[in-house]
Every structure is written in structure tokens, then in C-alpha cells.
Amino acid sequence: METTTVLDIHLLCKSITQTLTTEDVRHCMLVCRNWHVVFGPYLLQTITIRKWSSIDTFMSLRVQELFNRYAANVRSIHSSSDNIWPTLLSVPLKNLTVLGIHSIDLGKRYRQSDQNQTSLLLSFFRSSPKIEVLKLGFFEAEQVQDVLSAVLGLQYLRKLSIQNTDPTDCHTVRRFLLSCYGLEKVHVWFFALEDAPIPTPAQDAQELLQLTGSENPYFKVHDVSLNSQTYDHSIDYMYYSFLKRCSALERFSVPGNASPGAGPRLAAILTAHTRRLRHLHTQKSFLSGEEVAGLIVACYRLESFVGAIKQQDPELVMSALLEHRDTLEVVDLKRIGVSKATGLMMHSLLSPAQS
């Protein structure tokens, strides 16, 4: 039986570095000259850019040379600036699994060229097929269809977060959500325009067949956040067909513009079609206390709850939460305001359950 010693670290380096942070890799490089050489290629496996000074460092000639040389080792990129797009487009990132970027704006260099921004983005996603977690910010309205198609074409994608403030028609949002049936986590923020009637079951089935190849596909989604700015009736059109099929839903953030009247419809859908909902966030909604209570009742063994800002009738919310006192682990009510009555209910909620 062969044994491995510290001198054989180069044989294990790839496996070891998968659990190390960039700072850990730096410390390993300081051990000796041999380790400096062995661990050097993994220094850029996680790239995080939050400050302008970080952008300057990343765009320096030395770091660019390292990035081009060791692009195959890059696993994760988080950037608050879109200035890194020229670098991302310059070399294939075949092993990239996590990408978070502030906006899809390739900059003046590409806007003034004959190259189309959308085609460059599609090329980038094709050259990075292993992306599992994707967080995208702003992109222009004319890019929506192509960008969403490219995103959903990623074979290994599991978690998707999109926050786009550019106006988007509600039909595009609806089709996009229905196309997310193979993902586990879907967080979206769209500024949706227009209004549309609720589709009939036949229209639903036809659209699903067109988008997924099946009239009744299995939706894997278990974490949904729909903090979009919409018209009230467009919520029905965009979201309900999607939510009805999320039978594995465990975590749900109520649509941001959900106004009084939307609660009973949401509660009815959650009660009829979900059996695992344990985490409920209503912080962006304008639902009444009675409607929020109805949503709480629809949950199964609720574990966490985040309340809305200036919640109406908070006593009703607290009363519904008391039904889940045995399972609740996290309760955030700092937004709703606490009266004497709700304070007493909070005390009861936090007290040990009666045997």
C-alpha cells in the first residue's frame, strides 16, 4: 500500500483547494518555495470584487496574465462592477460554477463596435457551461429575451437570481418563470409592465408544452422570491401558473407589490399545491393582517417568518404564528410594530411550549 507524504502535496492540491478560501491559499503559498509554485495556480479560483481598488488590482497587467494562464482554475466570480466583462469575454472559463455580477453592460468598447452585446453574452455562457449558481443585475429591455434564453440553456444551472429594473412585459416574465422548472432556487425582481387576463387551463397546458415539451412537467423549485414591481392583476397572470406547479416549495417570499385582495388567492394556491412550505417572507407586500395569517396557516410546520413593514392588524399575524410555536426558529417582526397585545403574544410565542 502506497503512502502519501507532505512532499506529494502536488498530487492532492486540486482536491484540497476546493474547500480553501483565497486567504487560505495565500497562507499555503507562504510555507515554502515548492508550495508557492504548487498552490499559485489556485490563487484565482475565487474572485471577489467589491471596491474600485479591487477593480484596479484585478485589471493590472500581472493579475491579467495570471487570469489568462489559470482560467481553467477559476470557480467563482462575484463583482459589483461590470468593468470586468472584457476580461471575462477574453478567455473561456470552462470550470466556472458561480457567477454574480452587478449588470450586463459590456461597456463603451462593445457598444461602439460592430459586435452585438447579446451575441457576446451568449458566447460567454456557451464557453462557461458548468455554471450552477448565477446572479445577474441590470440589463436592457431589448436583451431580455436573448439573455433569459441563454441563462436557461445552462445545463447545470441550479440557482438563479435576477434583479432587473428595466421595464419588462409581463408575458416575458411569465414564460421565463415557467421555463425555470428544472431549477432549485428562483429569485427574480422585474419591473413588469402591462396587464393580462388569467389564462385558462387549456392555455396553460399549451404554453407549458411549448416551453418544456410536456403539459405537466415536474418543477424542482423549492426556494422562490418574487419581489417584483407589478400591477396587481398581472400577479395572477405571471405567478399563479408557476406557483401551482411548485409542489416542492419550502421557502417563499410574497410578491413585492401584492396588495390587499391578493392574499386569499395566494393562500389557496399554497394550501392546495404545496406540502413542504416552512419559510415565509412577507416583508415587501402590502397584505392585511388577515391575509398574512391565511398564508401562515397554509404553511407546514413553519420554521421562519419575516413580517411586512407597518403590518396592519399584527395581532392576527401573531395569533397565526402561535399555531407554529413548536417549530418556529426565526421570527423577524421588527418591521411591523408591536403593540401591547402583540407584545403579550410574542411573550407567549417565545415561552416554552406546554407539554
Side-chain angles (χ1 to χ4, degrees), residues 44 46-60 63-64 67-68 74 76-91 93 96 98-110 121 124 134-136:
L44 294 179
T46 300
I47 299 172
T48 303
I49 299 173
R50 293 194 179 96
K51 302 177 181 178
W52 283 107
S53 57
S54 301
I55 282 286
D56 294 337
T57 301
F58 181 75
M59 300 304 292
S60 65
V63 174
Q64 291 294 293
F67 182 84
N68 291 330
V74 177
S76 173
I77 297 177
H78 297 273
S79 176
S80 59
S81 170
D82 50 29
N83 290 345
I84 69 169
W85 273 114
T87 300
L88 299 184
L89 294 168
S90 66
V91 58
L93 300 174
L96 183 68
V98 179
L99 175 63
I101 195 160
H102 175 68
S103 75
I104 303 181
D105 185 352
L106 307 190
K108 184 186 297 184
R109 169 182 169 184
Y110 294 103
L121 286 170
F124 168 75
L134 183 61
K135 184 176 182 179
L136 297 178

Side-chain angles (χ1 to χ4, degrees), residues 316-344:
L316 297 176
V317 176
M318 289 300 303
S319 180
L321 288 174
L322 285 171
E323 298 298 321
H324 296 275
R325 60 181 298 184
D326 294 334
T327 57
L328 268 172
E329 298 178 0
V330 178
V331 181
D332 183 352
L333 300 175
K334 62 179 179 289
R335 298 170 175 83
I336 71 174
V338 179
S339 64
K340 182 177 180 180
T342 54
L344 292 173

Side-chain angles (χ1 to χ4, degrees), residues 2-69:
E2 296 184 6
T3 58
T4 302
T5 69
V6 71
L7 299 178
D8 300 314
I9 192 68
H10 62 284
L11 301 176
L12 305 173
C13 199
K14 185 175 181 179
S15 299
I16 293 173
T17 53
Q18 290 181 359
T19 59
L20 298 182
T21 64
T22 302
E23 193 64 28
D24 293 333
V25 174
R26 286 199 186 100
H27 290 158
C28 291
M29 292 175 65
L30 295 174
V31 172
C32 63
R33 290 182 179 179
N34 183 41
W35 279 34
H36 189 277
V37 173
V38 170
F39 282 93
Y42 299 95
L43 189 61
L44 294 179
Q45 67 176 356
T46 300
I47 299 172
T48 303
I49 299 173
R50 293 194 179 96
K51 302 177 181 178
W52 283 107
S53 57
S54 301
I55 282 286
D56 294 337
T57 301
F58 181 75
M59 300 304 292
S60 65
L61 182 60
R62 177 175 173 276
V63 174
Q64 291 294 293
E65 290 177 350
L66 289 173
F67 182 84
N68 291 330
R69 186 186 308 169

Side-chain angles (χ1 to χ4, degrees), residues 197-336:
I198 302 175
T200 65
Q203 290 172 329
D204 254 358
Q206 184 178 5
E207 193 160 23
L208 280 168
L209 182 62
Q210 179 184 359
L211 294 172
T212 68
S214 170
E215 293 185 359
N216 189 28
Y218 174 70
F219 278 63
K220 298 180 180 179
V221 186
H222 60 74
D223 185 346
V224 173
S225 176
L226 302 174
N227 292 327
S228 300
Q229 185 172 348
T230 65
Y231 295 107
D232 187 34
H233 292 295
S234 63
I235 289 178
D236 298 357
Y237 176 73
M238 291 189 300
Y239 300 149
Y240 289 175
S241 294
F242 170 68
L243 289 174
K244 285 179 180 178
R245 289 165 175 81
C246 296
S247 58
L249 191 62
E250 297 179 4
R251 186 181 298 270
F252 179 54
S253 292
V254 178
N257 227 33
S259 57
R265 300 193 298 274
L266 281 172
I269 288 173
L270 296 178
T271 301
H273 302 282
T274 64
R275 297 290 184 272
R276 306 178 187 175
L277 187 57
R278 296 184 177 91
H279 307 274
L280 181 65
H281 294 186
T282 65
Q283 67 269 36
K284 298 293 180 65
S285 72
F286 299 98
L287 300 178
S288 67
E290 183 179 1
E291 291 174 309
V292 173
L295 292 176
I296 294 173
V297 171
C299 296
Y300 173 76
R301 299 178 65 83
L302 189 65
E303 295 179 11
S304 71
F305 174 79
V306 179
I309 299 174
K310 298 181 179 179
Q311 177 68 64
Q312 300 176 23
D313 303 319
E315 294 84 1
L316 297 176
V317 176
M318 289 300 303
S319 180
L321 288 174
L322 285 171
E323 298 298 321
H324 296 275
R325 60 181 298 184
D326 294 334
T327 57
L328 268 172
E329 298 178 0
V330 178
V331 181
D332 183 352
L333 300 175
K334 62 179 179 289
R335 298 170 175 83
I336 71 174

Side-chain angles (χ1 to χ4, degrees), residues 118 122 139-153 164 168-176 179 190 211:
T118 302
L122 296 176
F139 46 92
E140 296 176 357
E142 56 267 24
Q143 292 179 288
V144 170
Q145 292 282 6
D146 291 329
V147 170
L148 297 183
S149 297
V151 165
L152 294 172
N164 186 39
T168 307
D169 69 271
C170 60
H171 182 64
T172 298
V173 177
R174 169 187 159 81
R175 290 175 62 85
F176 166 69
S179 300
F190 283 107
L211 294 172

Side-chain angles (χ1 to χ4, degrees), residues 170-189:
C170 60
H171 182 64
T172 298
V173 177
R174 169 187 159 81
R175 290 175 62 85
F176 166 69
L177 288 173
L178 291 176
S179 300
C180 290
Y181 66 98
L183 305 186
E184 298 173 6
K185 174 180 176 180
V186 179
H187 286 199
V188 296
W189 197 106

